[in-house]
Amino acid sequence: MKEVYLDTFGCQMNVADSERMELLLFHSGYTRTHEKENADLILVNTCSIREKAEQKIFSLFGHLKPLKEKNPDLILGLTGCLAQQEGERLLGKMPFLDLIMGPDHVEDIALAVDRIRQTGESMVWSTWDERKNYSIPTLEAPPPGNPGASAFVNIIKGCDKFCSFCVVPFTRGREKSREAEEIYSEIRQLVDRGAKEIILLGQNVNAYGKRGMNDPVPFHELLYRVAEIPGLSRLRFTTSYPRDFTRELILAYRDLDILMNHLHLPVQSGNDRILNDMRRGHTAREYLDLVSELKSEAPGIALSTDIIVGYPGETESEFQDTLKLMEQVGFSSSFMFSYSPRPGTPAALLADSVPEAVKHERLQKTLEHQARLTEREARRFLGKDVEVLIEGRSSKNGYEWKGRNPEYWRVHLSGASLKAGDIVKVRVDEFSGHTLMGHALDQ
Ligand code: SAH
Ligand code: F3S
């Protein structure tokens, strides 16, 4: 068999796309290697969400170029969002590339590689998939390896929101949902192979069911139906968009024990003028109201978010509103970013007016603020018992296993005769950042 080396940058969608490409290539005669020096095919699945991500990728390709010079038969591919965004232009910067392929062609990876082998010519594939439906067909032979205790399942692709700062609608196209039957059958297969937890995945999962389906099912309905799949113990989803969050979805948290008590709900800013400029379609008050409704239906629910500091025109007091909102919600964790203009987005037409030093300072303050909130939330668990789904071995000194509790905190634990996939009660003895440490209790 030939060998493929895969490197992945960016979000969970990219991780899922890489896994899918690995599987499709496996069926086409490639096994995965972790040593790029011996590979016949190298694919770098890229991200273009922020400038930093792009810089890392360009420097990686600088290191890959000599491998191609040494072995002209090596196929070197750049897939993912940067490929979609830059297309042909990348060949100008990196003429040694063999393949440039956007995320809409993941299903065609084996075909693309075969064609390059046959013709010996490089290929740019950044057109949109014109099919109305979004399908990830089940392959006949089971995928290599084990899915692990927690597995991601794509339910929707693309994003129609066009937040002013974001490239996703341009790199991943319009929202298209997968048929519910196809999703159930993938989940059943994963559960049969040992998965205990499913995380439904999409850029905007709660827009599920709106487009691209023969048999439309609203998102909350999908949750109720997935919850009935025998053998499934835990259900999560990510990422949600506040405006699309329905009352029915809030009630699903109340009704479904299997739906874990955590929600990642990006807010970006706590200031109404900035939220409006970002085209988020809601105010800070509306976000807070949604959160309090959730907290009253699902007591103890953990919330995490995404935050951008230094959006064009953001004043010091507008920034303070973000810190205030973080405090009011009490996020258990946040992904915090300094704004960077992305080519082609509406915000890139505005002057990037907040100086880098100020952005940096605001980011620091946000990180420190979140660290305090995380500590406050962590204390809730100290000395208490939490249920942990074991995902695998811990690399932390003194602990044997790692997993997550329902609120999505990483938990390291000590305990004998356990295995991945077990759900165990753990007494929390310590914490550090967004991580809890403890020992398994005798069952
Ligand atoms: N719904 C998506 C959000 C995608 S982008 C999801 O599935 O996660 C992830 C986060 O990156 C955004 O929520 C936003 O906080 C941040 N981000 C996007 N564009 C950005 C930019 N131009 N500058 C800084 N941060 C950005
Ligand atoms: Fe991006 Fe906004 Fe969609 S952040 S992924 S355009 S919801």
Side-chain angles (χ1 to χ4, degrees):
M1 278 186 111
K2 290 198 163 68
E3 292 194 316
V4 55
Y5 176 90
L6 271 158
D7 213 343
T8 308
F9 289 81
C11 66
Q12 281 306 333
M13 306 292 294
N14 257 15
V15 175
D17 285 350
S18 289
E19 280 171 9
R20 181 68 181 173
M21 290 195 284
E22 177 183 354
L23 177 59
L24 293 163
L25 287 164
F26 176 76
H27 284 267
S28 167
Y30 285 85
T31 54
R32 185 155 182 184
T33 173
H34 294 282
E35 281 155 48
K36 42 184 168 309
E37 286 70 22
N38 302 325
D40 304 280
L41 169 64
I42 296 182
L43 293 177
V44 181
N45 199 8
T46 62
C47 171
S48 61
I49 196 80
R50 287 169 292 275
E51 209 176 332
K52 242 195 190 150
E54 281 190 12
Q55 285 161 355
K56 269 199 230 156
I57 291 156
F58 287 124
S59 101
L60 172 65
F61 273 95
H63 296 298
L64 294 177
K65 189 178 170 204
L67 293 179
K68 176 77 187 170
E69 285 163 354
K70 226 183 323 172
N71 172 15
D73 288 338
L74 167 69
I75 295 185
L76 196 53
L78 188 157
T79 62
C81 289
L82 188 59
Q84 189 66 36
Q85 169 118 334
E86 296 293 317
E88 194 97 41
R89 278 194 297 262
L90 287 170
L91 277 181
K93 276 190 198 151
M94 298 183 280
F96 52 89
L97 281 177
D98 298 295
L99 174 66
I100 294 167
M101 191 185 84
D104 236 19
H105 288 289
V106 164
E107 287 299 308
D108 305 314
I109 183 66
L111 188 73
V113 171
D114 279 351
R115 202 178 292 171
I116 295 165
R117 280 244 182 271
Q118 277 160 17
T119 63
E121 282 171 20
S122 50
M123 184 174 170
V124 179
W125 211 351
S126 57
T127 49
W128 293 112
D129 172 8
E130 296 296 337
R131 277 164 295 195
K132 233 182 94 238
N133 298 68
Y134 171 35
S135 171
I136 308 179
T138 312
L139 303 179
E140 267 164 37
N146 176 310
S150 175
F152 286 96
V153 171
N154 282 56
I155 63 163
I156 180 170
K157 69 173 174 178
C159 186
D160 287 358
K161 296 296 176 250
F162 289 91
C163 301
S164 63
F165 50 84
C166 183
V167 287
V168 169
F170 304 100
T171 61
R172 290 194 172 258
R174 296 291 64 73
E175 287 166 0
K176 279 187 208 170
S177 303
R178 245 178 121 186
E179 292 302 329
E181 283 306 327
E182 200 180 279
I183 296 170
Y184 308 144
S185 101
E186 184 178 344
I187 297 177
R188 276 195 293 265
Q189 200 191 57
L190 286 162
V191 171
D192 284 348
R193 292 171 52 233
K196 293 284 190 294
E197 173 179 275
I198 294 295
I199 308 181
L200 304 174
L201 193 60
Q203 295 294 350
N204 181 11
V205 284
N206 48 3
Y208 177 82
K210 296 208 175 126
R211 192 186 297 173
M213 294 177 79
N214 295 325
D215 187 8
V217 173
F219 181 55
H220 64 273
E221 196 58 49
L222 183 83
L223 295 179
Y224 282 90
R225 294 200 207 165
V226 169
E228 279 169 17
I229 295 177
L232 184 65
S233 309
R234 290 181 162 198
L235 180 60
R236 304 178 189 275
F237 56 83
T238 196
T239 301
S240 308
Y241 179 72
R243 271 280 309 262
D244 286 340
F245 219 92
T246 59
R247 174 75 191 154
E248 288 91 336
L249 188 47
I250 294 174
L251 296 181
Y253 273 99
R254 184 194 65 189
D255 295 345
L256 295 173
D257 289 342
I258 200 174
L259 187 58
M260 292 291 101
N261 225 6
H262 167 246
L263 172 66
H264 184 71
L265 192 62
V267 68
Q268 316 298 356
S269 165
N271 174 268
D272 287 346
R273 191 189 70 81
I274 298 284
L275 284 168
N276 185 49
D277 274 18
M278 286 177 164
R279 304 187 187 167
R280 293 289 291 177
H282 64 81
T283 60
R285 184 74 263 152
E286 282 162 340
Y287 184 93
L288 290 167
D289 287 347
L290 179 57
V291 165
S292 40
E293 217 181 320
L294 260 163
K295 284 181 174 173
S296 72
E297 298 297 351
I301 191 168
L303 291 146
S304 56
T305 200
D306 292 349
I307 294 215
I308 297 179
V309 300
Y311 186 79
E314 185 190 64
T315 64
E316 182 58 29
S317 88
E318 288 168 338
F319 164 65
Q320 290 294 333
D321 286 344
T322 300
L323 296 182
K324 213 184 303 161
L325 180 135
M326 290 169 75
E327 178 78 39
Q328 282 165 304
V329 177
F331 292 114
S332 60
S333 75
S334 300
F335 295 100
M336 295 152 277
F337 309 105
S338 178
Y339 169 75
S340 76
R342 305 314 292 135
T345 60
L349 301 173
L350 307 170
D352 184 11
S353 58
V354 180
E356 282 309 314
V358 176
K359 280 186 193 169
H360 182 78
E361 187 193 311
R362 288 181 190 170
L363 187 62
Q364 272 326 105
K365 280 190 189 153
T366 315
L367 290 164
E368 283 160 21
H369 190 52
Q370 182 57 53
R372 277 193 297 273
L373 297 177
T374 302
E375 184 179 333
R376 194 168 81 191
E377 293 301 298
R379 290 196 186 281
R380 287 202 328 200
F381 296 111
L382 206 55
K384 302 262 165 53
D385 300 343
V386 299
E387 265 192 359
V388 176
L389 169 63
I390 298 187
E391 290 170 14
R393 287 278 172 192
S394 165
S395 53
K396 215 175 178 63
N397 242 345
Y399 298 95
E400 276 105 29
W401 300 98
K402 66 172 180 186
R404 289 195 190 266
N405 72 352
E407 290 79 13
Y408 211 56
W409 288 66
R410 168 63 69 214
V411 183
H412 292 272
L413 57 128
S414 54
S417 14
L418 298 170
K419 58 179 187 316
D422 285 351
I423 295 180
V424 288
K425 245 197 186 88
V426 174
R427 172 80 40 90
V428 177
D429 304 316
E430 275 183 83
F431 64 85
S432 158
H434 192 243
T435 301
L436 307 173
M437 281 86 80
H439 60 279
L441 300 174
D442 289 336
Q443 301 295 299

